[in-house]
Amino acid sequence: MGISWMIASGKGGVGKSTVSANLAVALARLGYRTGLLDLDIYGPSMALMFGTTERPGCSDKEQFLPVDAHGVKLLSMGLMMDEASPVAVRGPLATRYTQQFLKETDWGELDFLILDMPPGTGDIQLTIVQTVQMDGVVVVTTPQEMALIDARKAIGLYQRTDVPILGIVENMSYFICPTDETVHYIFGQHGGDREAVKLGVPMLGKIPLDMRTREGGDQGRPVALEDTGSNRVAAAFEGVAQTLA
Ligand code: ADP
């Protein structure tokens, strides 16, 4: 398997899954063989974000076979259950599923594997770090203090477990008014930059708050598939992918 990165956040709802999906698509568009493993067992969103309901297969070695979606090899709990069924699994079972995904998936040849981590800094995150050797972690946050507090905790956890912090992606950084192109800092300004400097890690990119990005997530067509010449967000994700690669 190629290089593997975790995409983590302290807080839920900051756009960790959106960043994971679009980063995977951007890497695939750059020509890298890319896999995406959705480890958000309690809130798997990748089936919706990639617009697929295809069930993962089983290899002759009894391993999961990811599905192909928008050029990315994808595996998610959401592909294994009906949309309506809640994943009401207790901690130990969630840990077992997670370990099974991590150890028993036949990815084939990959350049990069992206892991969409569950939000937070608890047992399940530790299990993941202890189960497989990861090459680095990207922390997603919004610029507001409320999100940064939790991002700090996530960075602390990964530092303690010796996973290199590759940098921060600041999501919902700014909003450009479609009528007059004025820039608005809805969640505050400079939050991610200050944190990156304080922690001595790179700022990998800033993704605006953007309607097409939200729609892409809901409609199964990640914004990173758009033309990078005319779509600012697609270009921003391509930039993050290039920096990381
Ligand atoms: P997390 O994985 O951190 O819980 P999600 O990626 O699921 O967060 O994002 C939460 C919600 O915010 C989703 O509805 C998603 O479409 C939306 N969202 C995320 N990033 C952006 C963005 N840059 N612009 C607009 N909406 C966004």
Side-chain angles (χ1 to χ4, degrees), residues 47-199:
L48 177 71
M49 285 192 180
F50 277 81
T52 179
T53 50
E54 195 185 328
R55 299 263 166 182
C58 181
S59 78
D60 45 13
K61 290 189 201 124
E62 306 244 313
Q63 292 195 313
F64 293 116
L65 285 172
V67 307
D68 190 81
H70 299 308
V72 171
K73 285 185 180 179
L74 174 67
L75 188 65
S76 167
M77 194 70 176
L79 297 169
M80 302 194 197
M81 55 182 204
D82 298 328
E83 211 173 293
S85 71
V87 193
V89 288
R90 286 175 183 279
L93 198 55
T95 303
R96 235 180 45 220
Y97 284 147
T98 302
Q99 283 175 324
Q100 223 174 344
F101 277 165
L102 285 168
K103 289 189 190 154
E104 293 167 34
T105 302
D106 181 359
W107 293 101
E109 291 284 313
L110 284 186
D111 297 308
F112 298 114
L113 176 65
I114 307 277
L115 261 67
D116 183 19
M117 295 288 284
T121 47
D123 280 350
I124 200 142
Q125 290 77 7
L126 271 175
T127 301
I128 295 166
V129 177
Q130 285 158 1
T131 303
V132 280
Q133 180 71 44
M134 285 287 133
D135 297 298
V137 58
V138 172
V139 176
V140 180
T141 183
T142 59
Q144 70 181 124
E145 186 54 26
M146 183 99 81
L148 288 167
I149 290 172
D150 289 357
R152 258 168 237 146
K153 287 188 203 154
I155 289 171
L157 172 101
Y158 293 105
Q159 277 172 336
R160 280 199 302 282
T161 51
D162 291 329
V163 182
I165 312 286
L166 300 170
I168 292 176
V169 171
E170 190 181 78
N171 190 32
M172 310 192 195
S173 286
Y174 56 94
F175 171 75
I176 299 184
C177 176
T179 42
D180 63 6
E181 296 266 310
T182 50
V183 182
H184 301 265
Y185 297 96
I186 294 174
F187 294 104
Q189 201 180 355
H190 307 308
D193 284 327
R194 267 192 228 115
E195 209 56 36
V197 169
K198 206 153 75 189
L199 295 162

Side-chain angles (χ1 to χ4, degrees), residues 8-9 11-22 40 43 45-46 49 116-117 119 140 142 170-174 207-218 223 233 237:
S9 68
K11 206 171 163 55
V14 296
K16 173 185 53 59
S17 298
T18 302
V19 170
S20 302
N22 283 290
D40 202 341
S45 47
M46 287 306 166
M49 285 192 180
D116 183 19
M117 295 288 284
V140 180
T142 59
E170 190 181 78
N171 190 32
M172 310 192 195
S173 286
Y174 56 94
I207 314 295
L209 181 65
D210 167 68
M211 183 120 89
R212 168 68 187 83
T213 303
R214 196 277 306 154
E215 283 170 355
D218 282 344
V223 67
V233 188
F237 278 116

